[in-house]
Amino acid sequence: MFTSINPATGEAGTPIPELTADQIEQRLACAAAAYAAWRLTSYDERTALLERIAEAFEADKRRLAEIATREMGKTLKSAIAEVEKCAAAFRHYAQQGPAMLAPATFDTASGPAKARWLPMGPVLAVMPWNFPYWQVIRFVAPTIMAGNVGLLKHASITQGCGAAIEATIIAAGAPAGLFQNLAIRSDKVDALIADPRIVAVTLTGSEGAGIKVAEAAGRQLKKVVLELGGSDPFIVMPSADLDKAVEQAVKARTQNTGQSCICAKRMIVHADVYDAFLDRFSAAMRAVKAGDPMAADTDMGPLSSEEQRQTTLDQLDAIQRAGGRLLFGGEALPGKGAYMSAGVLVDVPIDDPAAQEELFGPVAMVFRAADIDAAIALANDIPFGLGSSVWTNDPAERERFERDIEAGMTAVNAMLASSPEAPFGGIKRSGHGRELGPYGLHEFMNLKTVFG
């Protein structure tokens, strides 16, 4: 039985029963049957369904958002924005998907050839709790457009969100089996990947979870896409608009209570503006209001669980034992709920293992860099390579950052964010493969070359 605990109040939600072995088999059979029919549908049928699903998400956005807030603690206003973003993703693939799937033609020595994008079959998605709708929908929307079908293994604490996604898609008129939520534990994932009806798997989550899923998929020679952790740099140069950089740095570090793979976690600031940045950034971080996630004036809700809060506190202790200095914050707040204050760390030793980990809570590490070479070296001196944000008004510096930062994504003079239109993903131990944009649509498709 899955029972979510509201991290703001400690109250238990409605229990959701785990699937039995027979029920899992029924869903796999249903997915296989759904794929046999859905793969033959026209692009017009697929786009019409995507439009209806978008309308369904928008019409029910507040109720959906409240489920997420109760299950993992994000503010209601951010949860509503997340559902709205999901609707935008469905619409994007409805409007742009057919063009993305247009065949390419080639002239060969032996005559004409073309490459067609064809579906592959049921795809398993293993998804996390931090963006319980968006992480799923950025897989689901291209899956439907591709002619595939999807099965979701959601995080244990957000099973209500998984069930709500399935119900909303069904209410929009999706055929049975096109998308199914599987209320199962992680120990069932290996068997699902091994099942011949599952053709591929995508995972968003921790590095450890990614390794396990990649190993299981590798044993079956099945395609896998991994979006794993990150410790994204946020680099500020002297030419930057410092006020805007500080404003966005606070937002980037505290969004979703710091529980985002692409949250800026390491502020790397040029020595010439380090003191000014640290003063303004610290003042703004002190002003971040943690409180009731249902309240409109709350900046930051609780962490997703007491366990997640304790993990973050343990990481902060390890960093301080290694020599890091906590200027303020980073403390468990008294009373009910998994609340924590926003904080700032300085003097963090860059080569200590504790500083190389992803800090999944609302505390920023601030580093001083002597010049652009030092900033880039520090940005790259981690095992991760997901995102990055750079602040400069110097064209030469911008070119250096775009070329030399080892990451799948770089935002210039902006906070990094995902978008349905552009590819999303990382390198190094942040995973491989891409979601969103045309590349996310193509990841789980057969690019078949036809000669003649």
Side-chain angles (χ1 to χ4, degrees):
M1 194 72 72
F2 294 98
T3 304
S4 63
I5 302 298
N6 186 327
T9 65
E11 297 173 356
T14 303
I16 295 176
E18 292 183 46
L19 296 183
T20 65
D22 286 345
Q23 289 171 325
I24 294 172
E25 170 57 32
Q26 290 168 9
R27 281 159 174 74
L28 285 168
C30 186
Y35 171 66
W38 189 249
R39 64 181 290 271
L40 301 176
T41 55
S42 68
Y43 291 167
D44 286 347
E45 290 175 90
R46 299 176 195 176
T47 59
L49 176 59
L50 288 170
E51 290 282 7
R52 294 197 304 273
I53 296 173
E55 292 171 3
F57 268 77
E58 284 184 335
D60 207 16
K61 63 185 178 183
R62 185 176 180 91
R63 184 186 69 86
L64 294 172
E66 288 175 348
I67 297 172
T69 298
R70 287 194 301 268
E71 287 198 317
M72 57 72 59
K74 68 172 59 209
T75 63
L76 181 62
K77 58 189 174 185
S78 67
I80 291 173
E82 182 177 335
V83 178
E84 291 172 339
K85 191 172 184 178
C86 293
F90 284 117
R91 286 214 169 88
H92 171 69
Y93 283 104
Q95 295 164 4
Q96 304 299 326
M100 297 176 189
L101 298 179
T105 58
F106 309 91
D107 291 323
T108 75
S110 57
K114 64 180 177 181
R116 297 185 59 187
W117 292 106
L118 298 172
M120 292 174 58
V123 180
L124 174 66
V126 181
M127 292 291 135
W129 46 259
N130 57 337
F131 291 92
Y133 294 117
W134 175 239
Q135 302 277 17
V136 177
I137 272 44
R138 67 192 199 191
F139 149 74
V140 174
T143 292
I144 292 173
M145 187 65 233
N148 293 324
V149 303
L151 297 123
L152 169 67
K153 186 276 172 206
H154 217 327
S156 296
I157 68 173
T158 50
Q159 284 296 319
C161 290
I165 294 170
E166 179 181 25
T168 304
I169 291 174
I170 290 172
L178 183 68
F179 172 80
Q180 298 177 85
N181 177 58
L182 304 180
I184 58 173
R185 304 282 177 183
S186 296
D187 60 4
K188 302 294 193 299
V189 169
D190 274 14
L192 283 173
I193 294 173
D195 191 287
R197 289 165 291 192
I198 299 293
V199 299
V201 59
T202 179
L203 175 138
T204 298
S206 69
E207 183 181 349
I211 290 170
K212 291 178 182 178
V213 164
E215 287 177 341
R219 287 194 295 270
Q220 306 301 325
L221 295 178
K222 292 181 180 180
K223 178 72 177 288
V224 61
V225 168
L226 302 175
E227 194 268 279
L228 308 178
S231 188
D232 287 6
F234 187 103
I235 301 176
V236 182
M237 300 297 288
S239 64
D241 180 335
L242 199 59
D243 288 337
K244 186 66 178 293
V246 167
E247 173 195 331
Q248 293 299 299
V250 173
K251 183 178 179 182
R253 181 71 287 247
T254 61
Q255 64 160 334
N256 213 38
T257 318
Q259 301 167 121
S260 169
C261 297
I262 57 170
C263 270
K265 300 179 177 74
R266 297 177 300 136
M267 312 300 164
I268 301 172
V269 187
H270 191 284
D272 290 352
V273 291
Y274 177 88
D275 290 336
F277 176 89
L278 182 59
D279 286 347
R280 298 183 203 182
F281 180 63
S282 295
M285 287 287 280
R286 287 180 187 273
V288 172
K289 179 182 178 182
D292 180 2
M294 291 290 186
D297 63 343
T298 295
D299 299 317
M300 192 171 71
L303 275 78
S304 63
S305 64
E306 292 284 357
E307 180 184 8
Q308 181 57 40
R309 182 172 69 172
Q310 190 58 53
T311 296
T312 304
L313 293 171
D314 290 344
Q315 287 179 288
L316 293 175
D317 285 344
I319 292 172
Q320 291 178 87
R321 288 196 303 273
R325 184 161 55 94
L326 187 63
L327 293 183
F328 63 88
E331 298 173 335
L333 297 178
K336 289 192 299 184
Y339 290 98
M340 185 175 180
S341 57
V344 172
L345 280 161
V346 297
D347 301 334
V348 177
I350 60 175
D351 57 348
D352 190 84
Q356 297 276 310
E357 297 176 354
E358 180 177 29
L359 192 57
F360 228 50
V363 179
M365 294 182 280
V366 184
F367 299 88
R368 186 192 304 263
D371 52 29
I372 189 171
D373 293 326
I376 292 172
L378 182 54
N380 292 340
D381 190 26
I382 54 169
F384 302 109
L386 187 54
S388 52
S389 176
V390 299
W391 293 78
T392 176
N393 285 308
D394 183 316
E397 289 177 350
R398 174 180 179 135
E399 172 57 26
R400 283 288 311 279
F401 289 133
E402 288 187 22
R403 185 192 68 192
D404 294 343
I405 289 181
E406 297 169 355
M409 300 168 286
T410 296
V412 182
N413 295 328
M415 184 185 85
L416 184 64
S418 58
S419 170
E421 297 81 8
F424 182 98
I427 59 173
K428 297 162 71 172
R429 297 187 78 83
S430 288
H432 52 247
R434 291 296 181 266
E435 299 174 299
L436 302 174
Y439 305 97
L441 176 59
H442 295 156
E443 282 285 5
F444 298 121
M445 299 194 75
N446 172 20
L447 182 59
K448 175 182 277 190
T449 304
V450 180
F451 295 93

